[in-house]
Amino acid sequence: MITNQLLNPGSIVVVGASNNAHKPGGAILRNLINGGYAGELRAVNPKEAEVQGVAAFADVKDIPDTDLAILAIPAPLCPDAVEVLAAEKQVRAFIILSAGFGEETREGALLENRILDTVNKYGASLIGPNCIGLMNTWHHSVFSQPIPQLHSQGVDLISSSGATAVFILESAVTKGLQFNSVWSVGNAKQIGVEDVLQYMDEHFNPETDSKIKLLYIESIGDPDRMLFHASSLIRKGCRIAAIKAGSSESGSRAAGSHTGAIASSDSAVEALFRKAGVVRCYSREELTTVGCIFTLPELKGKNFAIITHAGGPGVMLTDALSKGGLNVPKLQGPVAEELKSKLYPGASVGNPIDILATGTPEHLRLCLDYCEEKFDEIDAVMAIFGTPGLVTMFEMYDVLHEKMQTCRKPIFPILPSINTAGAEVDAFLAKGHVNFADEVTLGTALSRIVNAPRPANNEIELFGVDVPRIRRIIDSIAEDGYIAPHLVQALLHSAGIPVVEEFVSDKKEEVLAFARRTGFPVVAKVVGPVHKSDVGGVVLNIKSEQHLALEFDRMMQIPEARSVMAQPMLKGTELFIGAKYEEKFGHVVLCGLGGIFVEVLKDVSSGLAPLSYEEAYSMIRSLRAYKIIKGTRGQKGLNEDKFAEIIVRLSTLLRFATEIKEMDINPLLATDKQVVAVDARIRVEKKRE
């Protein structure tokens, strides 16, 4: 519950206020005063009549009615103080800085529950406990430093961790990134990251509210709610980037399929962010760099010009952009030669455009004008300008400032000399700009933004999927575990997924008869062991009855073997689709190259079922191996449309068969004409009374 008293309190009391600014109660009062808080400010300190010039009261029972209470007192004292403040002093918003609650002990958790019961009873907001506080343009209710530039069109930062929020601010301030609000939710006993997002979504005003949200998340309690409100905000014109910490699994679990071996809670997070349209980041530097990029005009294409006076950084930036699927096209022809003739001898314009260390501000202006007006293929410009300490850069940065105000195409300032040209960089930032001190971090962040999909629609693709038949098959299964091959085939058929013809039997003559009917060569696979290849249970290209008979006899001797499956031998490139049910998230669908590559290379992308065609194409095209699917070096490409269709159909099947907990189709054999499922396994787990 987020109340107006939390966001715009007319009065604030700091309980545990101190004259010592090295204590939380002293630091937060100092920040409120220095931040120019315009409401009534009060303090509670039994030993002082005045704290930092603010009138102090001996006890919370003595204060006048107040909107917001900030508690910086020992955890055991908090529940009684909250009760008095809410019941007798009309406090309807609380920020509890104190630690020693549920994050530490069972007793602390009980204290936390008492506080929650009280604030809920009185319809009050609660931030924390165990947090650094909350700051916005109205009040700086945090005990930490730094306090960034606060502006209504700045960034909203929501963090699970107070310390991490501080480190993110440290990173952001050096880049010139401004903030609208900073939320540290701590233990998130009442208000968590999802609650803040929901409030921002439901109360969003496109005329006045910030359109940039940065998140640091340690746990996602309600993925559906996060998905709904994040995607809703993005559709309203916001841009969101997030770090999700703690996604790796400590220790590997025994897994019964390729999907189980590679899917993790991290795959679920990746899929959730992809579906919502959130840009995923992996470090504070990436997160704040993405935030800075969000403040610039939105990119309309992938072609960049690099203007610099230092060759090395231009080359490293070119590499970083190319690695992320972005382009630094060669500039050539009459216009390029014309530009070169106006620069010093030795300058190059091929892209990067190197104006040399002796290049002047007018040379920079000239290059920016050419990129804006004459190089039509260029979508954005990156300007790398530092100094070895021999000259000042004020004029150079003035040109950048002027052109960033007037050019239609985005200009990314990369000013690496934050020490030797510190005064110049500070003056540039003071004009409201951001700075990307490291070109490779910028290139990586840009690729994350450009490759992040738009929020997906939530419609389920039902065409060609026989839902009643799927339910009949699932309902007929009596035991948990991996289901029989004929049931796997029936489920895939019901979803409209093409399946290679196959026959399963524990009788040799029946298997031989099937091979005679379909024609040689065939494939033989043991039925029973989960990892067939590991036990010698897969033989390809069997060309005769004698060979098939020998393999049948051998496979039936493998431990746990129940029967043998035979299939016609098809040709094609091996692809993979899998799915795993993650608690709270639902089914995570994975795709990639098939066969052994799925586990060796782990080049997979993930999506959250149900999936749209747009999402399926995005998953396929985000693979490092996409060039193989598209076709490369004279090789025909694979049928990407059929691959995407199977991904979508599988996701619909899973939507109506939540009892499926793990499955994979590996391989799918793909050519330029078709994609056919060759081998699949499905593990079912039913809830039983």
Side-chain angles (χ1 to χ4, degrees), residues 493-518:
H493 278 303
S494 301
I497 296 172
V499 179
V500 67
E501 188 179 3
E502 66 183 34
F503 181 78
V504 179
S505 177
D506 59 357
K507 296 180 174 58
K508 187 194 316 185
E509 187 50 46
E510 290 180 356
V511 174
L512 292 172
F514 171 80
R516 283 193 293 271
R517 179 173 66 79
T518 59

mmCIF file of all heavy atoms in Angstrom, residues 493-518:
data_model
loop_
_atom_site.group_PDB
_atom_site.id
_atom_site.type_symbol
_atom_site.label_atom_id
_atom_site.label_comp_id
_atom_site.label_asym_id
_atom_site.label_seq_id
_atom_site.Cartn_x
_atom_site.Cartn_y
_atom_site.Cartn_z
ATOM 1 N N HIS A 493 1.153 -34.756 -31.980
ATOM 2 C CA HIS A 493 0.166 -34.717 -33.071
ATOM 3 C C HIS A 493 -0.985 -33.782 -32.714
ATOM 4 O O HIS A 493 -1.463 -33.008 -33.553
ATOM 5 C CB HIS A 493 -0.374 -36.122 -33.353
ATOM 6 C CG HIS A 493 0.512 -36.949 -34.239
ATOM 7 N ND1 HIS A 493 0.890 -36.543 -35.503
ATOM 8 C CD2 HIS A 493 1.099 -38.158 -34.054
ATOM 9 C CE1 HIS A 493 1.679 -37.458 -36.055
ATOM 10 N NE2 HIS A 493 1.819 -38.456 -35.189
ATOM 11 N N SER A 494 -1.443 -33.847 -31.464
ATOM 12 C CA SER A 494 -2.574 -33.023 -31.033
ATOM 13 C C SER A 494 -2.248 -31.537 -31.101
ATOM 14 O O SER A 494 -3.138 -30.699 -31.295
ATOM 15 C CB SER A 494 -2.979 -33.384 -29.600
ATOM 16 O OG SER A 494 -3.334 -34.748 -29.509
ATOM 17 N N ALA A 495 -0.968 -31.211 -30.918
ATOM 18 C CA ALA A 495 -0.547 -29.812 -30.994
ATOM 19 C C ALA A 495 -0.215 -29.385 -32.418
ATOM 20 O O ALA A 495 0.126 -28.225 -32.652
ATOM 21 C CB ALA A 495 0.665 -29.590 -30.093
ATOM 22 N N GLY A 496 -0.305 -30.322 -33.368
ATOM 23 C CA GLY A 496 -0.002 -29.994 -34.758
ATOM 24 C C GLY A 496 1.483 -29.922 -35.044
ATOM 25 O O GLY A 496 1.909 -29.249 -35.987
ATOM 26 N N ILE A 497 2.297 -30.627 -34.231
ATOM 27 C CA ILE A 497 3.743 -30.643 -34.423
ATOM 28 C C ILE A 497 4.117 -31.844 -35.277
ATOM 29 O O ILE A 497 3.794 -32.985 -34.922
ATOM 30 C CB ILE A 497 4.470 -30.702 -33.063
ATOM 31 C CG1 ILE A 497 4.169 -29.420 -32.264
ATOM 32 C CG2 ILE A 497 5.974 -30.886 -33.243
ATOM 33 C CD1 ILE A 497 4.671 -29.443 -30.831
ATOM 34 N N PRO A 498 4.756 -31.651 -36.447
ATOM 35 C CA PRO A 498 5.103 -32.774 -37.326
ATOM 36 C C PRO A 498 6.057 -33.743 -36.634
ATOM 37 O O PRO A 498 7.038 -33.324 -36.016
ATOM 38 C CB PRO A 498 5.786 -32.114 -38.526
ATOM 39 C CG PRO A 498 5.580 -30.652 -38.378
ATOM 40 C CD PRO A 498 5.224 -30.370 -36.966
ATOM 41 N N VAL A 499 5.770 -35.028 -36.735
ATOM 42 C CA VAL A 499 6.551 -36.056 -36.051
ATOM 43 C C VAL A 499 6.943 -37.132 -37.055
ATOM 44 O O VAL A 499 6.121 -37.546 -37.886
ATOM 45 C CB VAL A 499 5.731 -36.692 -34.898
ATOM 46 C CG1 VAL A 499 6.535 -37.775 -34.203
ATOM 47 C CG2 VAL A 499 5.290 -35.636 -33.901
ATOM 48 N N VAL A 500 8.184 -37.585 -36.993
ATOM 49 C CA VAL A 500 8.618 -38.663 -37.869
ATOM 50 C C VAL A 500 7.884 -39.949 -37.492
ATOM 51 O O VAL A 500 7.591 -40.200 -36.310
ATOM 52 C CB VAL A 500 10.148 -38.862 -37.767
ATOM 53 C CG1 VAL A 500 10.553 -39.373 -36.395
ATOM 54 C CG2 VAL A 500 10.649 -39.809 -38.845
ATOM 55 N N GLU A 501 7.552 -40.743 -38.483
ATOM 56 C CA GLU A 501 6.876 -42.014 -38.219
ATOM 57 C C GLU A 501 7.809 -42.917 -37.416
ATOM 58 O O GLU A 501 9.008 -42.977 -37.674
ATOM 59 C CB GLU A 501 6.499 -42.688 -39.545
ATOM 60 C CG GLU A 501 5.622 -43.921 -39.372
ATOM 61 C CD GLU A 501 5.242 -44.559 -40.691
ATOM 62 O OE1 GLU A 501 5.703 -44.084 -41.743
ATOM 63 O OE2 GLU A 501 4.483 -45.549 -40.661
ATOM 64 N N GLU A 502 7.245 -43.610 -36.428
ATOM 65 C CA GLU A 502 8.080 -44.485 -35.617
ATOM 66 C C GLU A 502 7.276 -45.695 -35.161
ATOM 67 O O GLU A 502 6.038 -45.685 -35.176
ATOM 68 C CB GLU A 502 8.645 -43.743 -34.412
ATOM 69 C CG GLU A 502 7.603 -43.292 -33.398
ATOM 70 C CD GLU A 502 8.208 -42.495 -32.246
ATOM 71 O OE1 GLU A 502 9.187 -41.763 -32.488
ATOM 72 O OE2 GLU A 502 7.697 -42.616 -31.120
ATOM 73 N N PHE A 503 8.012 -46.728 -34.759
ATOM 74 C CA PHE A 503 7.363 -47.953 -34.287
ATOM 75 C C PHE A 503 8.152 -48.475 -33.092
ATOM 76 O O PHE A 503 9.389 -48.497 -33.106
ATOM 77 C CB PHE A 503 7.343 -48.998 -35.406
ATOM 78 C CG PHE A 503 6.674 -50.276 -35.010
ATOM 79 C CD1 PHE A 503 5.286 -50.374 -34.960
ATOM 80 C CD2 PHE A 503 7.426 -51.394 -34.652
ATOM 81 C CE1 PHE A 503 4.659 -51.556 -34.586
ATOM 82 C CE2 PHE A 503 6.806 -52.574 -34.270
ATOM 83 C CZ PHE A 503 5.419 -52.657 -34.240
ATOM 84 N N VAL A 504 7.435 -48.883 -32.037
ATOM 85 C CA VAL A 504 8.072 -49.362 -30.802
ATOM 86 C C VAL A 504 7.564 -50.766 -30.512
ATOM 87 O O VAL A 504 6.350 -51.018 -30.523
ATOM 88 C CB VAL A 504 7.748 -48.434 -29.612
ATOM 89 C CG1 VAL A 504 8.388 -48.963 -28.331
ATOM 90 C CG2 VAL A 504 8.213 -47.012 -29.892
ATOM 91 N N SER A 505 8.484 -51.669 -30.221
ATOM 92 C CA SER A 505 8.081 -53.034 -29.870
ATOM 93 C C SER A 505 9.230 -53.726 -29.143
ATOM 94 O O SER A 505 10.394 -53.360 -29.309
ATOM 95 C CB SER A 505 7.711 -53.822 -31.129
ATOM 96 O OG SER A 505 7.377 -55.162 -30.787
ATOM 97 N N ASP A 506 8.868 -54.737 -28.355
ATOM 98 C CA ASP A 506 9.906 -55.582 -27.753
ATOM 99 C C ASP A 506 10.036 -56.893 -28.519
ATOM 100 O O ASP A 506 10.701 -57.825 -28.057
ATOM 101 C CB ASP A 506 9.590 -55.850 -26.274
ATOM 102 C CG ASP A 506 8.249 -56.542 -26.088
ATOM 103 O OD1 ASP A 506 7.535 -56.769 -27.089
ATOM 104 O OD2 ASP A 506 7.907 -56.850 -24.927
ATOM 105 N N LYS A 507 9.391 -56.940 -29.715
ATOM 106 C CA LYS A 507 9.456 -58.140 -30.569
ATOM 107 C C LYS A 507 10.253 -57.801 -31.823
ATOM 108 O O LYS A 507 9.899 -56.904 -32.586
ATOM 109 C CB LYS A 507 8.055 -58.619 -30.930
ATOM 110 C CG LYS A 507 7.251 -59.085 -29.712
ATOM 111 C CD LYS A 507 5.874 -59.558 -30.131
ATOM 112 C CE LYS A 507 5.124 -60.150 -28.927
ATOM 113 N NZ LYS A 507 4.989 -59.188 -27.807
ATOM 114 N N LYS A 508 11.331 -58.554 -32.026
ATOM 115 C CA LYS A 508 12.248 -58.258 -33.112
ATOM 116 C C LYS A 508 11.561 -58.283 -34.476
ATOM 117 O O LYS A 508 11.761 -57.396 -35.312
ATOM 118 C CB LYS A 508 13.415 -59.245 -33.090
ATOM 119 C CG LYS A 508 14.505 -58.887 -34.089
ATOM 120 C CD LYS A 508 15.528 -60.000 -34.349
ATOM 121 C CE LYS A 508 15.984 -60.691 -33.085
ATOM 122 N NZ LYS A 508 17.049 -61.684 -33.365
ATOM 123 N N GLU A 509 10.717 -59.260 -34.719
ATOM 124 C CA GLU A 509 10.112 -59.407 -36.039
ATOM 125 C C GLU A 509 9.204 -58.226 -36.377
ATOM 126 O O GLU A 509 9.132 -57.795 -37.528
ATOM 127 C CB GLU A 509 9.325 -60.728 -36.119
ATOM 128 C CG GLU A 509 8.803 -61.061 -37.520
ATOM 129 C CD GLU A 509 9.877 -60.961 -38.599
ATOM 130 O OE1 GLU A 509 10.987 -61.481 -38.395
ATOM 131 O OE2 GLU A 509 9.594 -60.321 -39.634
ATOM 132 N N GLU A 510 8.513 -57.698 -35.375
ATOM 133 C CA GLU A 510 7.639 -56.541 -35.628
ATOM 134 C C GLU A 510 8.457 -55.311 -36.016
ATOM 135 O O GLU A 510 8.059 -54.541 -36.903
ATOM 136 C CB GLU A 510 6.806 -56.234 -34.378
ATOM 137 C CG GLU A 510 5.754 -57.293 -34.089
ATOM 138 C CD GLU A 510 4.938 -56.986 -32.839
ATOM 139 O OE1 GLU A 510 5.249 -55.983 -32.156
ATOM 140 O OE2 GLU A 510 3.993 -57.742 -32.570
ATOM 141 N N VAL A 511 9.614 -55.110 -35.348
ATOM 142 C CA VAL A 511 10.489 -53.984 -35.687
ATOM 143 C C VAL A 511 11.049 -54.153 -37.095
ATOM 144 O O VAL A 511 11.107 -53.203 -37.889
ATOM 145 C CB VAL A 511 11.627 -53.851 -34.654
ATOM 146 C CG1 VAL A 511 12.636 -52.786 -35.075
ATOM 147 C CG2 VAL A 511 11.065 -53.530 -33.272
ATOM 148 N N LEU A 512 11.457 -55.382 -37.444
ATOM 149 C CA LEU A 512 11.972 -55.640 -38.793
ATOM 150 C C LEU A 512 10.892 -55.409 -39.857
ATOM 151 O O LEU A 512 11.167 -54.849 -40.924
ATOM 152 C CB LEU A 512 12.497 -57.075 -38.896
ATOM 153 C CG LEU A 512 13.761 -57.394 -38.078
ATOM 154 C CD1 LEU A 512 14.051 -58.892 -38.107
ATOM 155 C CD2 LEU A 512 14.966 -56.624 -38.628
ATOM 156 N N ALA A 513 9.675 -55.810 -39.556
ATOM 157 C CA ALA A 513 8.572 -55.622 -40.507
ATOM 158 C C ALA A 513 8.317 -54.137 -40.758
ATOM 159 O O ALA A 513 8.055 -53.712 -41.890
ATOM 160 C CB ALA A 513 7.310 -56.300 -39.981
ATOM 161 N N PHE A 514 8.399 -53.318 -39.699
ATOM 162 C CA PHE A 514 8.219 -51.871 -39.851
ATOM 163 C C PHE A 514 9.310 -51.300 -40.761
ATOM 164 O O PHE A 514 9.043 -50.489 -41.653
ATOM 165 C CB PHE A 514 8.283 -51.181 -38.481
ATOM 166 C CG PHE A 514 8.335 -49.675 -38.556
ATOM 167 C CD1 PHE A 514 7.182 -48.939 -38.765
ATOM 168 C CD2 PHE A 514 9.556 -48.998 -38.432
ATOM 169 C CE1 PHE A 514 7.227 -47.541 -38.845
ATOM 170 C CE2 PHE A 514 9.609 -47.608 -38.509
ATOM 171 C CZ PHE A 514 8.442 -46.884 -38.718
ATOM 172 N N ALA A 515 10.556 -51.729 -40.560
ATOM 173 C CA ALA A 515 11.667 -51.225 -41.371
ATOM 174 C C ALA A 515 11.502 -51.621 -42.834
ATOM 175 O O ALA A 515 11.799 -50.833 -43.735
ATOM 176 C CB ALA A 515 12.991 -51.746 -40.816
ATOM 177 N N ARG A 516 11.028 -52.870 -43.068
ATOM 178 C CA ARG A 516 10.798 -53.296 -44.458
ATOM 179 C C ARG A 516 9.740 -52.420 -45.115
ATOM 180 O O ARG A 516 9.846 -52.063 -46.289
ATOM 181 C CB ARG A 516 10.370 -54.769 -44.501
ATOM 182 C CG ARG A 516 11.509 -55.755 -44.310
ATOM 183 C CD ARG A 516 11.090 -57.173 -44.679
ATOM 184 N NE ARG A 516 10.078 -57.712 -43.765
ATOM 185 C CZ ARG A 516 10.354 -58.380 -42.647
ATOM 186 N NH1 ARG A 516 11.627 -58.598 -42.312
ATOM 187 N NH2 ARG A 516 9.393 -58.830 -41.870
ATOM 188 N N ARG A 517 8.705 -52.061 -44.363
ATOM 189 C CA ARG A 517 7.610 -51.268 -44.937
ATOM 190 C C ARG A 517 8.048 -49.844 -45.253
ATOM 191 O O ARG A 517 7.713 -49.306 -46.307
ATOM 192 C CB ARG A 517 6.429 -51.244 -43.960
ATOM 193 C CG ARG A 517 5.233 -50.406 -44.457
ATOM 194 C CD ARG A 517 4.028 -50.554 -43.551
ATOM 195 N NE ARG A 517 4.250 -49.998 -42.222
ATOM 196 C CZ ARG A 517 4.187 -48.693 -41.945
ATOM 197 N NH1 ARG A 517 3.944 -47.817 -42.898
ATOM 198 N NH2 ARG A 517 4.396 -48.267 -40.710
ATOM 199 N N THR A 518 8.792 -49.199 -44.329
ATOM 200 C CA THR A 518 9.178 -47.801 -44.547
ATOM 201 C C THR A 518 10.414 -47.679 -45.423
ATOM 202 O O THR A 518 10.641 -46.646 -46.051
ATOM 203 C CB THR A 518 9.467 -47.098 -43.206
ATOM 204 O OG1 THR A 518 10.513 -47.795 -42.522
ATOM 205 C CG2 THR A 518 8.215 -47.065 -42.348
#
